[in-house]
Amino acid sequence: MDIFGETNAVKTHQERTPRFSLIKAVAKLGTVEVVPPAGESIRMISPRGGWSSCALVMAIAQKTDIRELWATSLRIGLKELRAIEGLQIPKVHLCLGSIQRRTTKKYDYASPLEEAAERYGWSVHYANNHSKVILLDTSAGKIAIETSSNLNENPQIEQFCVTNSAELLDWYIDEFKRLGCW
């Protein structure tokens, strides 16, 4: 059984993937403990279409105040960008892959992000980045999320390790600074 009490049976054939809903994912995550006690970790695996890293951040924000967010990701999607804006986090630092700057007829990931960064005073850096780490300074502690999930709406089977550790958060911040990510 998984953390939601559901049996994870192996499936050889899957029907059409249900449409992902950020709000439904946050509601589902709201039923479990997503903020570990100081010095402890929680490990989770989401099913395909289950939840995204943004949904996890939103669920954590329902349990504790987030004072500062640092995130590395290949890119951030428009819905996730709007969701992060809605959390009204005082300080946000993003290190995204250079793919975020690409604009096509179908997608313009860069303009909405640059406008939000200007509006809220966020720091945004671009790098040859594929890491997926989210760091949160919260009223419940300093939380490091190590995940396979980007900050965009395409949740597949994803892994998450949520650790409440000032040492781990500080180590990641120092390493990403050393790499020029912020």
Side-chain angles (χ1 to χ4, degrees), residues 106-121:
K106 190 173 179 182
Y107 295 107
D108 178 7
Y109 289 106
S111 297
L113 175 62
E114 297 296 333
E115 291 164 7
E118 178 73 26
R119 189 168 41 252
Y120 301 110

Side-chain angles (χ1 to χ4, degrees), residues 19 61 79 95 100 115-116:
R19 183 153 171 79
K79 288 180 185 175
C95 179
Q100 180 77 33
E115 291 164 7

